[in-house]
């Protein structure tokens, strides 16, 4: 890479950030200021200056970010870079434990436990302590153990679980295993207690770079500081305190202040030129974030002085909000040539997305969900959809296996394995194997013989349950497909689904699954109620000429199928604001900009004790605004339904912090389109329906 390339590709502050290699450096990189470009050019510049690959350690937060960084450095240098270390903090910690395994008392082939492994070991530890795991929220206990291990809480709460924690820690060592938190805590303790080992890593990594520095935890900061604690440490951190939104998982935006105190002779460089958004969007973002205190002063600006006003809309309720978003997306794809993947729809919580999903479904708008679970991918909804799929098509083995013992019917793994084996041997499906089994059993019993599928180990209860399950499915096939009259009127699909949910007693199943947490069970059941209400709304649509089972399943099939991680083309991105960090879209909708949502009601309650709660919510809103490149729409409902009650809503106080000159209050788009737009719309519909 030559000097001329740097000068033509980077602005003046970016070039300064790339070339300032020696000593501590703090780079404050505003949203859309080319942070990743600066980091990759900096690494490439260091390599060009003769710094060995093996002397550089670059740390970031996701494997995806690390891969992207590595690919871009390789493209810039044209080298393989086999000795360059670009990784997440946790991957670096894993490497340290692996290299020092013998010293730490682990065998080289130690295991890293994921959350499932961890919860299983916690259950075992509870049993060892003679405690009943059925009465414990294992996930909550796992999270508590994590906070204990990383120093985010103390034993002032849940002190009765201390023996369980100690048993869990001993068991990890016995099983030659570490959990995810150990990947940070073990290397930190190793470096703190063993000066020789720490010095070995300091000598190896002369140049350290940390990306997304505002998201580092206290442990990550300590680890980084130990590696670079020499007086003239070559440590470069890149971050933006205005985008620190992960305190709930241990991030500490005040690490920037710690860095300033620990490295008083640092070079400080600000990247304020934004290459993403229009001036209107940046002025709105600056107006909001300026109300936070104790932040690093900066002002994002753009050479693009254009920009349409931010459109603010106050729909009557969440249904009108979702319809507005869907209508605007359709309108913009027809009139302004946007593609579906040009749109990002952001919500504070994943639960706000289900109305928007329904509107997209009704409007045949393809979308993907990130940062949470699609409404149609929630377990309780997938269960009911699987019943409907089996009722419509008994050849659907995947759906059948999902529901055959959901809710539990006493049909064990042995029975299911037997059905699978019979289907495999006879080149048929599981429903056919089930039907043959029932027929053989009934025939044998009526003749005083043993059934063809039965042996001494067979469970009579399981056989009975299988038969009852088959009869139930057949009954609902008749009900839903033939639409038998009820009181002289044909059954509607929504009535059939309601009867199905009642028949399988799904409510009792949820209560059993969630034990004492009835609130969680009720929330999941509310989702099923909402699913049925979606069918009712669809049935009542006067344009719907066939409100049967097959059309409904066809309608949701494009959404409920599993998509690949990178299958983004041609789909609207529906995301939580947290998950949208690092992404950008030409057009962004921020839904639910209401007090109690943005800022979240929990932060309002906590703000008396923690002045940072509201400020983090403001940073979250700032992140949402700065995802937009060209257009930004914000909606704030007058009413919103929570559970079964519609409540009055107040607009988010953050809306008042946007300079009013930048806001346009939305007016409904005209319903008429010209001939060219109509032709374009018809072409889109043909593409959707093949």
């Amino acid at each position: 890479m030559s000097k001329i390339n740097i000068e033509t590709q980077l602005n003046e502050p970016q070039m300064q950030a790339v070339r300032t290699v020696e000593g501590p450096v703090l780079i404050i990189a505003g949203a859309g200021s080319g942070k990743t470009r600066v980091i990759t050019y900096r690494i490439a510049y260091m390599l060009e200056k003769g710094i060995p690959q093996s002397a550089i350690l670059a740390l970031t937060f996701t494997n995806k970010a690390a891969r992207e960084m590595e690919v871009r450095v390789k493209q810039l240098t044209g080298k393989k870079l086999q000795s360059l270390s670009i990784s997440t903090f946790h991957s670096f910690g894993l490497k340290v434990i692996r290299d020092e395994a013998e010293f730490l008392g682990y065998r080289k082939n130690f295991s890293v436990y994921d959350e499932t492994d961890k919860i299983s070991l916690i259950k075992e530890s509870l049993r060892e302590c003679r405690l009943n795991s059925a009465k414990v929220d294992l996930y909550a206990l796992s999270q508590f153990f994590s906070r204990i291990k990383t120093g985010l809480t103390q034993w002032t709460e849940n002190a009765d679980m201390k023996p369980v924690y100690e048993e869990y820690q001993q068991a990890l060592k016995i099983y030659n295993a570490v959990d995810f938190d150990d990947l940070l805590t073990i290397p930190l303790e190793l470096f703190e207690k063993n000066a020789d080992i720490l010095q070995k890593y300091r000598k190896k990594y002369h140049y350290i770079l940390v990306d997304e520095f505002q998201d580092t935890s206290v442990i990550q900061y300590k680890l980084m500081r130990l590696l670079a604690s020499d007086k003239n440490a070559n440590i470069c951190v890149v971050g933006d305190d205005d985008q620190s939104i992960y305190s709930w998982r241990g991030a500490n935006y005040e690490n920037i202040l710690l860095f300033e105190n620990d490295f008083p002779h640092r070079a400080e460089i600000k990247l304020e030129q934004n290459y993403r958004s229009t001036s209107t969007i940046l002025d709105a973002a600056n107006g909001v974030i300026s109300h936070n205190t104790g932040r690093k002063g900066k002002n994002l600006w753009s050479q693009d002085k254009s920009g349409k006003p931010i459109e603010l809309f106050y729909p009557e309720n969440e249904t009108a909000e979702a319809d507005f978003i869907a209508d605007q997306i359709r309108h913009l794809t027809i009139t302004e040539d946007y593609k579906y993947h040009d749109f990002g729809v952001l919500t504070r919580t994943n639960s706000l997305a289900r109305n928007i999903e329904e509107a997209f479904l009704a409007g045949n708008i393809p979308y993907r969900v990130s940062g949470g679970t699609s409404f149609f991918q929630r377990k309780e909804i997938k269960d009911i959809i699987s019943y409907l799929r089996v009722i419509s098509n008994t050849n659907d083995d995947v759906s059948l296996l999902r529901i055959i013992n959901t809710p539990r019917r006493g049909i064990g793994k042995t029975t299911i394995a037997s059905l699978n084996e019979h289907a495999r041997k006879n080149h048929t499906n599981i429903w056919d194997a089930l039907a043959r089994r029932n027929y053989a059993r009934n025939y044998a019993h009526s003749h005083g013989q043993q059934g063809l599928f039965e042996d001494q180990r067979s469970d009579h209860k399981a056989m009975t349950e299988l038969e009852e399950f088959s009869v139930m499915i057949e009954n609902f096939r008749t009900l839903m497909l033939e639409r038998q009259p009820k009181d002289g009127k044909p059954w509607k699909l929504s009535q059939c689904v309601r009867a199905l949910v009642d028949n399988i007693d799904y409510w009792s199943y949820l209560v059993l699954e969630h034990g004492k947490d009835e609130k969680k069970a009720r929330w999941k059941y509310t989702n099923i109620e909402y699913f049925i209400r979606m069918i009712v709304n669809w049935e009542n649509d006067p344009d719907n000429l066939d409100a049967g089972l097959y059309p409904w399943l066809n309608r949701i099939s494009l959404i409920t199928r599993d998509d690949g991680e990178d299958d983004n083309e041609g789909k609207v991105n529906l995301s939580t604001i947290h998950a949208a960090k690092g992404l950008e879209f030409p057009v962004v909708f921020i839904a639910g900009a209401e007090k109690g949502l943005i800022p979240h009601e929990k932060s309002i309650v906590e703000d008396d004790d923690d002045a940072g709660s509201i400020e983090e919510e403001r940073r979250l809103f700032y992140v949402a605004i700065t995802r937009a490149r060209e257009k930004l729409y914000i909606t704030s409902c007058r009413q919103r339904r929570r559970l079964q009650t519609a409540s009055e809503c107040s607009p988010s106080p953050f809306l008042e912090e946007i300079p009013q000159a930048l806001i346009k209050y939305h007016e409904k788009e005209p319903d008429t389109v010209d001939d060219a737009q109509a032709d374009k719309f018809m072409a889109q519909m043909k593409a959707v329906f093949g």
Side-chain angles (χ1 to χ4, degrees), residues 303-365:
Q303 288 184 334
D304 181 1
K305 300 300 180 184
S306 65
K308 294 186 178 180
I310 293 164
E311 295 202 31
L312 183 56
F313 183 54
Y314 292 100
E316 187 60 34
N317 53 37
E318 66 273 15
T319 302
E321 175 183 60
D323 290 342
F324 164 76
I325 293 171
D327 290 344
Q328 281 300 119
I329 289 174
R330 274 197 303 269
H331 178 78
L332 291 171
T333 57
I334 295 169
T335 60
E336 299 193 31
D337 206 31
Y338 285 107
K339 304 294 187 291
Y340 284 127
H341 55 256
D342 291 330
F343 297 93
V345 181
L346 311 183
T347 60
R348 174 61 180 84
T349 62
N350 188 48
S351 61
L352 297 179
R354 66 185 187 184
N355 289 91
I356 301 169
E357 288 195 64
E358 182 178 1
F360 287 172
L361 184 64
N364 296 304
I365 295 173

Side-chain angles (χ1 to χ4, degrees), residues 150-208:
T150 55
L152 293 176
T153 192
Q154 302 298 322
W155 286 108
T156 50
E157 55 175 315
N158 291 339
D160 57 325
M161 287 293 150
K162 192 170 184 179
V164 181
Y165 177 78
E166 291 169 350
E167 178 67 33
Y168 167 75
Q169 287 293 94
Q170 290 175 8
L172 278 174
K173 206 65 184 278
I174 290 168
Y175 291 136
N176 193 41
V178 296
D179 63 23
F180 203 61
D181 297 311
D182 288 328
L183 299 181
L184 297 178
T185 58
I186 291 175
L188 178 61
E189 185 177 0
L190 177 71
F191 291 162
E192 286 177 332
K193 293 182 177 180
N194 298 276
D196 291 345
I197 292 178
L198 173 60
Q199 196 59 33
K200 179 176 73 173
Y201 284 89
R202 284 180 179 174
K203 284 183 177 179
K204 179 175 183 180
Y205 298 115
H206 281 284
Y207 297 86
I208 300 170

Side-chain angles (χ1 to χ4, degrees), residues 70-191:
E70 185 175 350
V71 166
R72 289 174 69 166
V73 174
K74 285 179 179 178
Q75 288 173 343
L76 283 173
T77 61
K79 298 177 181 178
K80 292 184 178 181
L81 306 179
Q82 293 172 326
S83 301
L84 181 65
S85 295
I86 301 178
S87 74
T88 65
F89 272 93
H90 288 87
S91 295
F92 172 71
L94 175 60
K95 184 179 186 304
V96 171
I97 298 172
R98 198 165 273 150
D99 289 346
E100 311 299 331
E102 188 174 336
F103 180 86
L104 290 164
Y106 291 96
R107 297 187 301 280
K108 283 283 187 182
N109 61 340
F110 65 88
S111 302
V112 179
Y113 276 13
D114 61 16
E115 189 64 22
T116 302
D117 298 326
K118 182 180 177 182
I119 286 177
S120 296
L121 191 57
I122 289 174
K123 284 177 73 174
E124 184 179 315
S125 301
L126 284 162
R127 284 195 297 270
E128 288 293 325
C129 294
R130 302 184 182 280
L131 294 172
N132 185 357
S133 62
K135 295 181 179 180
V136 177
D137 185 333
L138 294 171
Y139 178 77
L141 186 58
S142 171
Q143 295 302 299
F144 175 70
F145 282 2
S146 181
R147 293 195 302 275
I148 285 289
K149 186 172 287 192
T150 55
L152 293 176
T153 192
Q154 302 298 322
W155 286 108
T156 50
E157 55 175 315
N158 291 339
D160 57 325
M161 287 293 150
K162 192 170 184 179
V164 181
Y165 177 78
E166 291 169 350
E167 178 67 33
Y168 167 75
Q169 287 293 94
Q170 290 175 8
L172 278 174
K173 206 65 184 278
I174 290 168
Y175 291 136
N176 193 41
V178 296
D179 63 23
F180 203 61
D181 297 311
D182 288 328
L183 299 181
L184 297 178
T185 58
I186 291 175
L188 178 61
E189 185 177 0
L190 177 71
F191 291 162

Side-chain angles (χ1 to χ4, degrees), residues 494-522:
S494 56
Q495 292 174 299
C496 295
V497 175
R498 163 67 64 201
L500 173 67
V501 172
D502 291 342
N503 183 281
I504 62 177
D505 196 9
Y506 201 84
W507 165 247
S508 295
Y509 167 67
L510 289 174
V511 171
L512 285 171
E513 283 291 293
H514 297 289
K516 294 183 291 186
D517 194 353
E518 186 175 327
K519 185 178 179 182
K520 191 168 186 179
R522 193 166 297 283

